[in-house]
Structures are given as structure tokens and as C-alpha cells.
Amino acid sequence: MRREYLSSDYLEKWADLNNVQRDGVNVHNTADDKGHGIFADRSYPSSSARPIVIVPPHLVLSLETLWIYAKSNRRLEEIYQAVGDYSRTARGAILIFLLLQITQDASAGSDRVTVSNPWTEYVRFVPPEGRLPTLWDEDARASAVGTSLEAALNSKLRSLEREFAHLRNSTASIAWCRSYWWNAREEGLCFRDWKEVDSMYRSRALDLPGTGHAMVPYIDMANHASGDDTMALYETDADGNAVLVKCEGKILTTGDEVTITYGDDKGACEMLFSYGFIADSMTSARQLFLNLDVPDDDPLKFAKNSIARSPPGLKVFESGGSIGWDSDFVWLVCINKEDGLDFRLLQTVDGERELKMFWKDEEISLESNLQNLLQEEQLWDVFHLRAIVTLQSRVEQQLLALEKVKANIPSMYELAKGEYPYCQTMKLRQLEEKLMLQAYEDFENKVPDLNQFLDPGKILMLT
């Protein structure tokens, strides 16, 4: 869908018109010309506690404010009702609202789609976040092969395709949607447009205190800096305004960038996935998630996959200089029928059939902590060793995938010398390889420690 963009030079006028209060700051391009940022145009002493930016509540996009707005916007409410439960999530409500604003902009000069509002113009200050992996071309996505980003990206694209299909199927019977979106001769709605509004949301949404997931204009121009480099934080004041406040004790001088943190604990993959970059200051992947499959020869594979609610994978993380891991699913992978695990289809009170899980003939709920249950068993050391060996094997598999890419895509290493996004995926590879090598060594050290507790009669129960 055709879009026109406005220079950030006009953003201050937009802020004035919409009562966004600023105290000695403005938005302009960053020195590296990689986007916009908020900069101080005067000095702030460390004792200053006044808000730097104040955004009135009606400009904040949240689930609550958008449903209130929909009551006076017939076409927005029409879409919300058509897509059902999806519009009753903050993400769904915001994405659909943004899509309507883009459609309004694209329809300029013809019949207007809906009533203009401050966001109709504000989205013109927000170009699509082409740095986000969901907007990369096929060659760029291939550079993520072997990293944890590969699975996350593939899963996200499938999810976006399902959402877009749901939007189309739900609104195909609405006359104006057919006209502007689905039957348009020239600039109709396409999957790329849906990916663009998703990238706007993921890269700019804030977890606003008292509101939840929301988009806040002007404040969302603030860039990320972690640790001591974070200069400001966002919060909600007593009047419901979204405010940007300088961190206590920080000193800002004229020309300094006013930064916020997108999350100091987020891993390298999550930063690249959600924001399109890995900070130069990151020297560790911090954490990564690897999918974990039930072996094909496991007769209970279908039942295990059907009943599991925890993510079917493994999270490896670094904490305090040591390596840790978390995986509820691995305990389900490592036990079988001979150990006492069973599944049965039971009839519910309304006549439906439901899959239930049993341990030694006692039903266990999906919320049960399987690890704690197994720790009470005489064969806990066997189950524990099975889990460690399974996880070590999964980490080894991922390390081999990374190594294979090194041999198959040598040209990527030349591109990584400076071209985006290859330099980012290369950094992700290096950080994740380092973390996985540490995890593999940690698992390797645990195996002999666990083996010493096994009785000779238990050895056969490892397989």
C-alpha cells in the first residue's frame, strides 16, 4: 500500500498541535543517521526531577483507549467486531488501528476511509522498521540459519500469515474493506503491509505502568541504552499522562541523547528479533531458546506434544558468570510408559473427549511441576541424567548447525564486514556460539557427576 512520510522536522509542530509537552528536548536524526532520537537542547542538573515529555492520555494507544475510540468510529468498530477475540488483545487492537491509519493516508485524494485523528499524521513520521528480521529479504533471512533467530523468525512469519489470512477472511464481506483492501486495482492491502504494522508495534510498544502494552507517540522516538547509559524512564503520572522522566542522579547537557532501556535482561536474539539490532555494548548472548523435539521413535510422541503447555524447548542463559538452563518440556521428553507415564482419553461431563496425563496410574494436571514429582522417585538420578544428556545433545546439534553454515556460506562473512543485516547476524552467531560452548561444557561436567550416583542396575534404564 502506498505511503508518504514526513520529515522529523515537522514532528515538533505535530507535538504542539496535540498538546505534547516537552521541556528542553526535541527529536531529530541520530549522528549515525540510523533513525530518530530524542535530544536535550538544554542542560539538566542531576537534581532535576521534572518530566521531560508529557503525552496526554487520549494519544496513548492501548486496548482500553482504542475500544473507547471505536465507539465513535464506525469502521474501526466494524473491523474489531469482525475479527472477534483478536481485537480484544492490545496487540490486535493496535495493529488494526495502525492499518486503518495507513489506509487513510493511502486513500488521500479519494473517498476517505475514516475520520482523521492525530495518529493518522503521526504514522507518517514512522517509516517501516526495515531492520526487523520479519522485513528482511530471503538472502538476509538465510544469514540467520543456525542461530536461534532462525526458528523464531520462521515461527513469527507463519503466525503473521495466519493473522493476515484471518483479517482477510473476517473482513471480506465488509463492502469498504473489499473496496480499499481486497479488490483495489492498484494499491490494495498486501502481506507486506501487515508485516510493517507489526514491525511498528513490536519495535515501539512500551509496557506502560498502569496501562500495559501501549504505543506512546513522541516517547517512542527514544532509543535504547542499557545499564548506566540509560538516561530516562517512562511512567504514568497521577493524571494518566504518559511521561518521560530523567533517571535520578543523571546529568544531561545540551546535545545529549535522552535514552531509555528496552530491557537490560533481553538476550541478543530477542533484541535483534524485536528491535532490529544488537547493541555494540553486548558481549554475551545472555540467553537463547532452542526448540526441543520428542524423538520420532517415542510411541507417546503425539500425546506428549498434544498435552504440553510449556514451550517445547530449552532456554540457556548466563547468570552471574555461570550457565543455567530452564526446560519443563525436557522432563516430559525423558520419561516413558515403562517409567510410569501414560495418557488416556476420558469423557468430560459435556460428552467431549479429553486427553489426560497419568503418572503411575494417578492423574496429574497440566500445571503439575513434573520435575518436582520426579525428584521424589527412587530413579530420580536416572531421569536427571537422561535430561542432561538430552539437553547436551540438543546444544551440540545447534553448534553443528552453526559450523555447517560457516562452510556453506563463506560470502556471508565478507558481507558481515559492514553491510546490514549480515553484520548483525554475524554478531549473533558469535555470541550464541560462545554461550552454547559454555553450556555444552557445563553439561559435559555434570554427566560424570551424575553417573557416580547410579547403581549398576540402573544403567540399563538410561535408554
Side-chain angles (χ1 to χ4, degrees):
M1 186 172 285
R2 176 182 55 82
R3 294 182 61 190
E4 294 182 358
Y5 301 102
L6 292 173
S7 166
S8 61
D9 296 340
Y10 298 99
L11 181 57
E12 301 305 322
K13 294 180 180 179
W14 178 93
D16 289 336
L17 286 171
N18 292 284
N19 197 31
V20 175
Q21 300 176 49
R22 292 94 67 212
D23 182 12
V25 295
N26 60 70
V27 170
H28 58 75
N29 288 338
T30 58
D32 55 12
D33 202 28
K34 291 183 179 179
H36 303 139
I38 300 177
F39 293 85
D41 56 18
R42 70 171 182 81
S43 296
Y44 292 83
S46 61
S47 59
S48 175
R50 290 189 303 174
I52 298 172
V53 180
I54 302 176
V55 180
H58 72 276
L59 292 179
V60 176
L61 298 188
S62 67
L63 179 62
E64 181 181 4
T65 58
L66 285 176
W67 269 95
I68 292 173
Y69 178 67
K71 292 178 180 178
S72 60
N73 187 312
R74 179 177 57 83
R75 287 186 167 174
L76 179 61
E77 184 179 28
E78 200 172 13
I79 302 177
Y80 281 177
Q81 297 294 351
V83 300
D85 290 342
Y86 182 70
S87 66
R88 291 174 175 82
T89 65
R91 181 177 180 278
I94 292 174
L95 259 63
I96 291 170
F97 176 83
L98 293 174
L99 196 62
L100 200 59
Q101 308 318 304
I102 290 173
T103 306
Q104 174 82 327
D105 183 36
S107 64
S110 61
D111 293 334
R112 307 296 284 185
V113 174
T114 186
V115 178
S116 294
N117 62 77
W119 272 89
T120 307
E121 188 170 24
Y122 186 76
V123 295
R124 299 174 69 186
F125 295 109
V126 186
E129 273 294 352
R131 296 188 303 173
L132 265 64
T134 47
L135 294 174
W136 292 354
D137 61 26
E138 189 174 343
D139 288 340
R141 292 199 301 271
S143 71
V145 171
T147 69
S148 63
L149 178 62
E150 178 188 10
L153 180 54
N154 291 338
S155 176
K156 183 62 176 180
L157 288 172
R158 289 193 297 269
S159 175
L160 289 171
E161 287 173 350
R162 289 193 298 269
E163 289 176 347
F164 188 66
H166 175 63
L167 176 68
R168 180 165 190 157
N169 294 335
S170 300
T171 61
S173 61
I174 300 175
W176 73 266
C177 290
R178 288 199 306 273
S179 175
Y180 286 97
W181 287 353
W182 313 125
N183 294 338
R185 294 180 180 178
E186 296 181 1
E187 297 289 341
L189 191 64
C190 65
F191 183 47
R192 172 81 183 189
D193 298 315
W194 187 245
K195 291 195 294 183
E196 286 186 2
V197 293
D198 166 74
S199 73
M200 283 188 216
Y201 174 78
R202 285 193 293 119
S203 63
R204 293 176 175 272
L206 307 174
D207 190 2
L208 192 63
T211 299
H213 288 231
M215 290 184 69
V216 184
Y218 204 97
I219 291 178
D220 67 4
M221 294 289 178
N223 289 314
H224 166 78
S226 60
D228 292 337
D229 293 329
T230 302
M231 291 295 173
L233 54 86
Y234 50 85
E235 55 187 34
T236 306
D237 68 14
D239 296 320
N241 300 304
V243 297
L244 187 65
V245 182
K246 184 179 68 64
C247 291
E248 184 178 357
K250 294 295 182 180
I251 298 174
L252 284 170
T253 59
T254 302
D256 285 348
E257 184 171 6
V258 183
T259 55
I260 61 175
T261 176
Y262 296 171
D264 284 6
D265 295 331
K266 290 181 178 177
C269 179
E270 186 177 359
M271 289 297 294
L272 183 55
F273 177 79
S274 296
Y275 305 106
F277 69 92
I278 300 173
D280 293 338
S281 60
M282 288 192 74
T283 57
S284 166
R286 293 180 183 164
Q287 59 179 278
L288 61 88
F289 184 85
L290 303 176
N291 65 302
L292 194 61
D293 295 325
V294 180
D296 290 335
D297 59 357
D298 188 336
L300 298 178
K301 178 175 181 174
F302 179 80
K304 289 179 178 181
N305 286 331
S306 298
I307 207 164
R309 285 188 178 175
S310 59
L314 156 69
K315 183 171 82 170
V316 178
F317 57 90
E318 186 177 31
S319 178
S322 60
I323 301 299
W325 62 272
D326 183 33
S327 175
D328 291 333
F329 190 70
V330 72
W331 305 109
L332 197 56
V333 172
C334 292
I335 56 176
N336 50 49
K337 197 174 185 68
E338 291 73 22
D339 300 314
L341 181 67
D342 197 12
F343 297 92
R344 302 171 193 171
L345 277 173
L346 301 181
Q347 188 167 321
T348 62
V349 292
D350 57 2
E352 298 292 330
R353 293 173 69 81
E354 186 176 4
L355 186 66
K356 296 289 186 180
M357 181 163 57
F358 290 80
W359 177 251
K360 296 188 175 179
D361 292 326
E362 289 190 14
E363 182 181 341
I364 54 177
S365 68
L366 297 177
E367 290 73 29
S368 294
N369 188 324
L370 193 54
Q371 180 181 354
N372 289 342
L373 191 66
L374 296 177
Q375 283 177 327
E376 301 299 321
E377 295 291 327
Q378 184 178 0
L379 293 177
W380 160 245
D381 45 4
V382 173
F383 302 142
H384 193 189
L385 184 55
R386 284 182 191 169
I388 295 300
V389 171
T390 299
L391 298 179
Q392 184 184 26
S393 176
R394 179 64 187 91
V395 169
E396 181 181 27
Q397 180 187 22
Q398 196 71 20
L399 283 168
L400 290 173
L402 278 175
E403 191 64 29
K404 182 179 179 181
V405 171
K406 288 182 182 179
N408 291 349
I409 318 180
S411 60
M412 186 181 67
Y413 289 80
E414 290 299 317
L415 292 169
K417 292 179 179 178
E419 185 174 341
Y420 187 91
Y422 301 97
C423 57
Q424 295 295 303
T425 52
M426 179 58 64
K427 182 168 185 176
L428 180 64
R429 287 175 180 282
Q430 293 168 344
L431 295 179
E432 291 197 339
E433 183 176 39
K434 176 183 174 184
L435 180 58
M436 285 190 289
L437 285 171
Q438 291 173 320
Y440 184 88
E441 182 179 356
D442 187 68
F443 290 139
E444 185 77 4
N445 292 334
K446 282 184 170 64
V447 170
D449 291 340
L450 291 171
N451 267 322
Q452 66 177 317
F453 296 109
L454 290 181
D455 295 330
K458 294 180 180 178
I459 298 296
L460 295 175
M461 307 190 76
L462 283 172
T463 59

